[in-house]
Amino acid sequence: MARRKVLITGAAGRIGRVLKDGLKDRYDLRLLYHNTVLPAEPGEEVVVADINDMDRMIEATAGIDSVIHMAGNPSGATPFEVILEANIRGTYTVYEASHRSGVRRVVFASTNHVTGYYEKNGIYTTPDMPARPDSYYGASKAYGEDLGRYYVDAFGLSVICLRIGSFVATDAMRDRKHGSDRILSSWLSHRDAVQLVWRSIEAEGVDFGVYYGISGNTRAYWYIQNAREELGYEPEDDAEEHA
């Protein structure tokens, strides 16, 4: 059976680099860079493009089975004008190009900040609760989830939205003093991130879904049971081990 061909946008970012290394033995990777371009390693295909350039994105998605959309501005302090281009227009371009190129599935890097005001109020949160974003960044990712739902219903694209938590390497966790630190609830380890993404790519019978991207943290206040049941996610790490 031929290996799936997977495009990672934002492949030079913190998460993109981890996914690049963690998925290279499972898939044939096409890596999309923009400002930072890493040298191609054996078996990698590199594309340099702006995600707002529709023609280039159609080229980048040609022949691709699944897109892992990591590109965008991840800062909660980013002004709306920047968010508009990087996270709103760019996300539209990725979905539209994927649709035109016949991509089967898009794994969309959403964020826990889509529901940030529940967290601020100490409310345990499940993916089916209405969005309560805590920033323009969080609102842009809520838009990305809803736009993905539209592309599923209107065009038959499959979209998996991952509301990523605190992405920190295990050795960095060990070097910190936590106490009641938020990260003990919100942590997503590198190996759990890789697993969650490949399970999102390979899950059968799921046209659309929203899942919190965290490890199996004892103190979690975001619900991940649907990721276990629908995607087959089996987190290997628990932030409690580093408390």
Side-chain angles (χ1 to χ4, degrees):
M1 181 177 177
R3 300 207 317 174
R4 287 185 169 98
K5 196 169 188 67
V6 173
L7 171 69
I8 304 176
T9 73
R14 285 190 310 122
I15 304 178
R17 293 184 191 217
V18 169
L19 295 179
K20 177 176 79 73
D21 292 337
L23 298 174
K24 64 185 179 183
D25 293 334
R26 184 177 289 268
Y27 308 119
D28 292 332
L29 297 180
R30 182 178 296 168
L31 308 173
L32 190 139
Y33 299 118
H34 186 209
N35 294 322
T36 300
V37 181
L38 303 179
E41 297 182 8
E44 294 178 349
E45 187 179 349
V46 168
V47 176
V48 180
D50 184 333
I51 59 169
N52 287 311
D53 185 331
M54 183 67 77
D55 290 340
R56 291 288 289 138
M57 288 308 300
I58 290 173
E59 293 175 3
T61 52
I64 290 293
D65 173 80
S66 297
V67 174
I68 306 168
H69 180 38
M70 290 283 157
N73 191 300
S75 173
T78 303
F80 179 76
E81 289 73 16
V82 176
I83 289 292
L84 175 63
E85 292 301 314
N87 294 12
I88 295 179
R89 195 182 307 280
T91 297
Y92 157 72
T93 306
V94 169
Y95 282 138
E96 179 64 16
S98 297
H99 159 55
R100 294 191 196 181
S101 294
V103 169
R104 179 183 63 90
R105 175 168 292 168
V106 173
V107 179
F108 173 61
S110 187
T111 177
N112 63 90
H113 295 282
V114 166
T115 53
Y117 266 99
Y118 290 117
E119 181 183 354
K120 289 178 185 293
N121 293 323
I123 299 171
Y124 184 86
T125 314
T126 62
D128 57 347
M129 294 167 68
R132 289 185 66 186
D134 58 13
S135 56
Y136 291 126
Y137 167 62
S140 75
K141 293 297 187 175
Y143 160 84
E145 292 179 5
D146 286 348
L147 189 63
R149 174 79 263 187
Y150 168 68
Y151 270 84
V152 171
D153 290 336
F155 305 112
L157 186 67
S158 176
V159 176
I160 303 295
C161 304
L162 303 178
R163 292 178 175 171
I164 297 170
S166 302
F167 185 73
V168 177
T170 303
D171 56 356
M173 289 283 288
R174 292 178 180 140
D175 292 339
R176 298 178 57 161
K177 292 182 179 180
H178 297 290
S180 59
D181 197 336
R182 173 182 186 265
I183 203 169
L184 295 177
S185 301
S186 63
W187 186 44
L188 175 63
S189 72
H190 285 192
R191 66 178 173 178
D192 283 343
V194 171
Q195 183 202 156
L196 182 58
V197 168
W198 72 252
R199 289 192 182 277
S200 296
I201 290 171
E202 298 182 16
E204 300 290 342
V206 182
D207 294 326
F208 177 82
V210 177
Y211 309 92
Y212 281 97
I214 57 174
S215 291
N217 304 323
T218 300
R219 306 189 201 189
Y221 40 66
W222 299 318
Y223 179 86
I224 65 167
Q225 187 60 27
N226 67 326
R228 297 175 185 270
E229 294 173 356
E230 296 171 20
L231 304 180
Y233 178 47
E234 299 177 354
E236 298 182 71
D237 295 308
D238 181 344
E240 207 67 20
E241 299 167 2
H242 309 288

